[in-house]
PDB file of all heavy atoms in Angstrom:
ATOM      1  N   HIS A 289      25.035   5.771 -14.957  1.00  0.00           N
ATOM      2  CA  HIS A 289      24.777   6.248 -13.604  1.00  0.00           C
ATOM      3  C   HIS A 289      23.488   5.643 -13.047  1.00  0.00           C
ATOM      4  O   HIS A 289      22.375   6.026 -13.423  1.00  0.00           O
ATOM      5  CB  HIS A 289      24.656   7.769 -13.583  1.00  0.00           C
ATOM      6  CG  HIS A 289      25.786   8.478 -14.260  1.00  0.00           C
ATOM      7  ND1 HIS A 289      27.101   8.264 -13.937  1.00  0.00           N
ATOM      8  CD2 HIS A 289      25.796   9.402 -15.261  1.00  0.00           C
ATOM      9  CE1 HIS A 289      27.873   9.027 -14.693  1.00  0.00           C
ATOM     10  NE2 HIS A 289      27.097   9.718 -15.504  1.00  0.00           N
ATOM     11  N   ALA A 290      23.641   4.685 -12.124  1.00  0.00           N
ATOM     12  CA  ALA A 290      22.503   4.099 -11.422  1.00  0.00           C
ATOM     13  C   ALA A 290      23.046   3.321 -10.237  1.00  0.00           C
ATOM     14  O   ALA A 290      24.122   2.713 -10.327  1.00  0.00           O
ATOM     15  CB  ALA A 290      21.692   3.191 -12.343  1.00  0.00           C
ATOM     16  N   GLY A 291      22.296   3.326  -9.146  1.00  0.00           N
ATOM     17  CA  GLY A 291      22.734   2.548  -7.987  1.00  0.00           C
ATOM     18  C   GLY A 291      22.691   1.057  -8.257  1.00  0.00           C
ATOM     19  O   GLY A 291      23.641   0.331  -8.032  1.00  0.00           O
ATOM     20  N   ALA A 292      21.566   0.596  -8.777  1.00  0.00           N
ATOM     21  CA  ALA A 292      21.401  -0.809  -9.151  1.00  0.00           C
ATOM     22  C   ALA A 292      20.547  -0.862 -10.414  1.00  0.00           C
ATOM     23  O   ALA A 292      19.582  -0.109 -10.556  1.00  0.00           O
ATOM     24  CB  ALA A 292      20.744  -1.608  -8.029  1.00  0.00           C
ATOM     25  N   ILE A 293      20.904  -1.761 -11.324  1.00  0.00           N
ATOM     26  CA  ILE A 293      20.197  -1.906 -12.590  1.00  0.00           C
ATOM     27  C   ILE A 293      19.494  -3.268 -12.588  1.00  0.00           C
ATOM     28  O   ILE A 293      20.138  -4.311 -12.473  1.00  0.00           O
ATOM     29  CB  ILE A 293      21.162  -1.812 -13.780  1.00  0.00           C
ATOM     30  CG1 ILE A 293      21.946  -0.502 -13.735  1.00  0.00           C
ATOM     31  CG2 ILE A 293      20.398  -1.933 -15.098  1.00  0.00           C
ATOM     32  CD1 ILE A 293      23.072  -0.421 -14.751  1.00  0.00           C
ATOM     33  N   PHE A 294      18.173  -3.244 -12.706  1.00  0.00           N
ATOM     34  CA  PHE A 294      17.357  -4.452 -12.702  1.00  0.00           C
ATOM     35  C   PHE A 294      16.952  -4.725 -14.148  1.00  0.00           C
ATOM     36  O   PHE A 294      16.235  -3.953 -14.763  1.00  0.00           O
ATOM     37  CB  PHE A 294      16.125  -4.257 -11.812  1.00  0.00           C
ATOM     38  CG  PHE A 294      16.479  -3.964 -10.377  1.00  0.00           C
ATOM     39  CD1 PHE A 294      16.842  -2.681  -9.990  1.00  0.00           C
ATOM     40  CD2 PHE A 294      16.466  -4.979  -9.427  1.00  0.00           C
ATOM     41  CE1 PHE A 294      17.189  -2.407  -8.671  1.00  0.00           C
ATOM     42  CE2 PHE A 294      16.809  -4.704  -8.109  1.00  0.00           C
ATOM     43  CZ  PHE A 294      17.176  -3.433  -7.736  1.00  0.00           C
ATOM     44  N   MET A 295      17.411  -5.845 -14.684  1.00  0.00           N
ATOM     45  CA  MET A 295      17.304  -6.089 -16.113  1.00  0.00           C
ATOM     46  C   MET A 295      16.236  -7.118 -16.443  1.00  0.00           C
ATOM     47  O   MET A 295      16.272  -8.248 -15.961  1.00  0.00           O
ATOM     48  CB  MET A 295      18.661  -6.545 -16.659  1.00  0.00           C
ATOM     49  CG  MET A 295      19.768  -5.509 -16.474  1.00  0.00           C
ATOM     50  SD  MET A 295      21.339  -6.012 -17.196  1.00  0.00           S
ATOM     51  CE  MET A 295      21.780  -7.380 -16.137  1.00  0.00           C
ATOM     52  N   GLY A 296      15.278  -6.722 -17.268  1.00  0.00           N
ATOM     53  CA  GLY A 296      14.257  -7.638 -17.754  1.00  0.00           C
ATOM     54  C   GLY A 296      12.971  -7.564 -16.959  1.00  0.00           C
ATOM     55  O   GLY A 296      12.947  -7.166 -15.792  1.00  0.00           O
ATOM     56  N   ARG A 297      11.879  -7.993 -17.594  1.00  0.00           N
ATOM     57  CA  ARG A 297      10.557  -7.810 -16.990  1.00  0.00           C
ATOM     58  C   ARG A 297      10.339  -8.653 -15.737  1.00  0.00           C
ATOM     59  O   ARG A 297       9.468  -8.345 -14.928  1.00  0.00           O
ATOM     60  CB  ARG A 297       9.474  -8.109 -18.038  1.00  0.00           C
ATOM     61  CG  ARG A 297       9.410  -9.547 -18.506  1.00  0.00           C
ATOM     62  CD  ARG A 297       8.260  -9.760 -19.491  1.00  0.00           C
ATOM     63  NE  ARG A 297       8.446  -8.985 -20.696  1.00  0.00           N
ATOM     64  CZ  ARG A 297       9.050  -9.457 -21.789  1.00  0.00           C
ATOM     65  NH1 ARG A 297       9.563 -10.701 -21.780  1.00  0.00           N
ATOM     66  NH2 ARG A 297       9.181  -8.725 -22.861  1.00  0.00           N
ATOM     67  N   TYR A 298      11.114  -9.709 -15.552  1.00  0.00           N
ATOM     68  CA  TYR A 298      10.924 -10.557 -14.369  1.00  0.00           C
ATOM     69  C   TYR A 298      11.753 -10.091 -13.169  1.00  0.00           C
ATOM     70  O   TYR A 298      11.670 -10.661 -12.089  1.00  0.00           O
ATOM     71  CB  TYR A 298      11.263 -12.011 -14.695  1.00  0.00           C
ATOM     72  CG  TYR A 298      10.237 -12.662 -15.590  1.00  0.00           C
ATOM     73  CD1 TYR A 298      10.465 -12.789 -16.947  1.00  0.00           C
ATOM     74  CD2 TYR A 298       9.030 -13.119 -15.076  1.00  0.00           C
ATOM     75  CE1 TYR A 298       9.507 -13.366 -17.783  1.00  0.00           C
ATOM     76  CE2 TYR A 298       8.067 -13.699 -15.893  1.00  0.00           C
ATOM     77  CZ  TYR A 298       8.315 -13.818 -17.251  1.00  0.00           C
ATOM     78  OH  TYR A 298       7.359 -14.376 -18.072  1.00  0.00           O
ATOM     79  N   THR A 299      12.552  -9.053 -13.371  1.00  0.00           N
ATOM     80  CA  THR A 299      13.449  -8.595 -12.313  1.00  0.00           C
ATOM     81  C   THR A 299      12.839  -7.408 -11.589  1.00  0.00           C
ATOM     82  O   THR A 299      13.209  -6.252 -11.809  1.00  0.00           O
ATOM     83  CB  THR A 299      14.835  -8.215 -12.899  1.00  0.00           C
ATOM     84  OG1 THR A 299      15.240  -9.236 -13.809  1.00  0.00           O
ATOM     85  CG2 THR A 299      15.868  -8.094 -11.793  1.00  0.00           C
ATOM     86  N   GLY A 300      11.885  -7.691 -10.728  1.00  0.00           N
ATOM     87  CA  GLY A 300      11.262  -6.638  -9.941  1.00  0.00           C
ATOM     88  C   GLY A 300      12.240  -6.086  -8.914  1.00  0.00           C
ATOM     89  O   GLY A 300      13.037  -6.836  -8.333  1.00  0.00           O
ATOM     90  N   GLU A 301      12.180  -4.793  -8.681  1.00  0.00           N
ATOM     91  CA  GLU A 301      13.115  -4.146  -7.756  1.00  0.00           C
ATOM     92  C   GLU A 301      13.021  -4.739  -6.348  1.00  0.00           C
ATOM     93  O   GLU A 301      14.031  -4.805  -5.632  1.00  0.00           O
ATOM     94  CB  GLU A 301      12.839  -2.639  -7.727  1.00  0.00           C
ATOM     95  CG  GLU A 301      13.770  -1.825  -6.865  1.00  0.00           C
ATOM     96  CD  GLU A 301      13.352  -1.837  -5.402  1.00  0.00           C
ATOM     97  OE1 GLU A 301      12.145  -1.956  -5.128  1.00  0.00           O
ATOM     98  OE2 GLU A 301      14.253  -1.734  -4.526  1.00  0.00           O
ATOM     99  N   SER A 302      11.861  -5.185  -5.941  1.00  0.00           N
ATOM    100  CA  SER A 302      11.706  -5.701  -4.583  1.00  0.00           C
ATOM    101  C   SER A 302      12.556  -6.951  -4.343  1.00  0.00           C
ATOM    102  O   SER A 302      12.966  -7.225  -3.209  1.00  0.00           O
ATOM    103  CB  SER A 302      10.233  -6.000  -4.281  1.00  0.00           C
ATOM    104  OG  SER A 302       9.730  -6.983  -5.162  1.00  0.00           O
ATOM    105  N   LEU A 303      12.866  -7.703  -5.404  1.00  0.00           N
ATOM    106  CA  LEU A 303      13.750  -8.869  -5.236  1.00  0.00           C
ATOM    107  C   LEU A 303      15.137  -8.407  -4.806  1.00  0.00           C
ATOM    108  O   LEU A 303      15.808  -9.067  -4.016  1.00  0.00           O
ATOM    109  CB  LEU A 303      13.837  -9.664  -6.543  1.00  0.00           C
ATOM    110  CG  LEU A 303      12.522 -10.238  -7.069  1.00  0.00           C
ATOM    111  CD1 LEU A 303      12.764 -11.043  -8.341  1.00  0.00           C
ATOM    112  CD2 LEU A 303      11.835 -11.101  -6.020  1.00  0.00           C
ATOM    113  N   GLY A 304      15.570  -7.263  -5.333  1.00  0.00           N
ATOM    114  CA  GLY A 304      16.857  -6.708  -4.933  1.00  0.00           C
ATOM    115  C   GLY A 304      16.840  -6.210  -3.501  1.00  0.00           C
ATOM    116  O   GLY A 304      17.873  -6.250  -2.818  1.00  0.00           O
ATOM    117  N   ASP A 305      15.695  -5.754  -3.046  1.00  0.00           N
ATOM    118  CA  ASP A 305      15.592  -5.271  -1.671  1.00  0.00           C
ATOM    119  C   ASP A 305      15.855  -6.368  -0.661  1.00  0.00           C
ATOM    120  O   ASP A 305      16.355  -6.104   0.432  1.00  0.00           O
ATOM    121  CB  ASP A 305      14.203  -4.693  -1.413  1.00  0.00           C
ATOM    122  CG  ASP A 305      14.075  -3.244  -1.839  1.00  0.00           C
ATOM    123  OD1 ASP A 305      15.119  -2.622  -2.116  1.00  0.00           O
ATOM    124  OD2 ASP A 305      12.944  -2.731  -1.884  1.00  0.00           O
ATOM    125  N   TYR A 306      15.504  -7.597  -1.016  1.00  0.00           N
ATOM    126  CA  TYR A 306      15.515  -8.660  -0.023  1.00  0.00           C
ATOM    127  C   TYR A 306      16.517  -9.787  -0.271  1.00  0.00           C
ATOM    128  O   TYR A 306      17.202 -10.199   0.650  1.00  0.00           O
ATOM    129  CB  TYR A 306      14.098  -9.266   0.078  1.00  0.00           C
ATOM    130  CG  TYR A 306      13.085  -8.288   0.582  1.00  0.00           C
ATOM    131  CD1 TYR A 306      12.127  -7.760  -0.268  1.00  0.00           C
ATOM    132  CD2 TYR A 306      13.102  -7.854   1.900  1.00  0.00           C
ATOM    133  CE1 TYR A 306      11.189  -6.827   0.187  1.00  0.00           C
ATOM    134  CE2 TYR A 306      12.188  -6.933   2.366  1.00  0.00           C
ATOM    135  CZ  TYR A 306      11.231  -6.423   1.507  1.00  0.00           C
ATOM    136  OH  TYR A 306      10.331  -5.507   1.960  1.00  0.00           O
ATOM    137  N   CYS A 307      16.589 -10.298  -1.460  1.00  0.00           N
ATOM    138  CA  CYS A 307      17.275 -11.585  -1.566  1.00  0.00           C
ATOM    139  C   CYS A 307      18.036 -11.848  -2.854  1.00  0.00           C
ATOM    140  O   CYS A 307      18.612 -12.938  -2.992  1.00  0.00           O
ATOM    141  CB  CYS A 307      16.259 -12.716  -1.357  1.00  0.00           C
ATOM    142  SG  CYS A 307      14.854 -12.649  -2.499  1.00  0.00           S
ATOM    143  N   ALA A 308      18.078 -10.927  -3.814  1.00  0.00           N
ATOM    144  CA  ALA A 308      18.785 -11.223  -5.064  1.00  0.00           C
ATOM    145  C   ALA A 308      20.275 -11.465  -4.807  1.00  0.00           C
ATOM    146  O   ALA A 308      20.867 -12.385  -5.355  1.00  0.00           O
ATOM    147  CB  ALA A 308      18.598 -10.090  -6.064  1.00  0.00           C
ATOM    148  N   GLY A 309      20.863 -10.625  -3.948  1.00  0.00           N
ATOM    149  CA  GLY A 309      22.288 -10.780  -3.637  1.00  0.00           C
ATOM    150  C   GLY A 309      23.024  -9.468  -3.503  1.00  0.00           C
ATOM    151  O   GLY A 309      23.700  -9.221  -2.508  1.00  0.00           O
ATOM    152  N   PRO A 310      22.957  -8.576  -4.515  1.00  0.00           N
ATOM    153  CA  PRO A 310      23.604  -7.267  -4.389  1.00  0.00           C
ATOM    154  C   PRO A 310      23.012  -6.452  -3.238  1.00  0.00           C
ATOM    155  O   PRO A 310      21.883  -6.706  -2.807  1.00  0.00           O
ATOM    156  CB  PRO A 310      23.318  -6.610  -5.747  1.00  0.00           C
ATOM    157  CG  PRO A 310      23.166  -7.759  -6.675  1.00  0.00           C
ATOM    158  CD  PRO A 310      22.463  -8.816  -5.878  1.00  0.00           C
ATOM    159  N   ASN A 311      23.760  -5.465  -2.788  1.00  0.00           N
ATOM    160  CA  ASN A 311      23.334  -4.700  -1.624  1.00  0.00           C
ATOM    161  C   ASN A 311      22.210  -3.742  -1.967  1.00  0.00           C
ATOM    162  O   ASN A 311      22.168  -3.159  -3.046  1.00  0.00           O
ATOM    163  CB  ASN A 311      24.521  -3.925  -1.040  1.00  0.00           C
ATOM    164  CG  ASN A 311      24.388  -3.764   0.446  1.00  0.00           C
ATOM    165  OD1 ASN A 311      23.584  -2.985   0.939  1.00  0.00           O
ATOM    166  ND2 ASN A 311      25.180  -4.531   1.191  1.00  0.00           N
ATOM    167  N   HIS A 312      21.285  -3.551  -1.015  1.00  0.00           N
ATOM    168  CA  HIS A 312      20.199  -2.600  -1.255  1.00  0.00           C
ATOM    169  C   HIS A 312      20.487  -1.225  -0.658  1.00  0.00           C
ATOM    170  O   HIS A 312      19.652  -0.326  -0.765  1.00  0.00           O
ATOM    171  CB  HIS A 312      18.856  -3.157  -0.748  1.00  0.00           C
ATOM    172  CG  HIS A 312      18.639  -3.082   0.727  1.00  0.00           C
ATOM    173  ND1 HIS A 312      17.607  -3.765   1.355  1.00  0.00           N
ATOM    174  CD2 HIS A 312      19.257  -2.412   1.728  1.00  0.00           C
ATOM    175  CE1 HIS A 312      17.619  -3.500   2.655  1.00  0.00           C
ATOM    176  NE2 HIS A 312      18.614  -2.679   2.891  1.00  0.00           N
TER     177      HIS A 312
END
C-alpha cells in the first residue's frame, strides 16, 4: 500500500513531483 514507491538513495521524491514520469 503506497501511492508511489521511490527506490534507492538517489530517488528523491521531488523528482517524481516534476519529471520522473509517473503521475504525482
Side-chain angles (χ1 to χ4, degrees):
H289 309 306
I293 304 171
F294 299 81
M295 299 183 292
R297 66 177 63 92
Y298 289 100
T299 315
E301 183 277 331
S302 61
L303 300 182
D305 275 348
Y306 296 108
C307 57
N311 211 287
H312 78 193

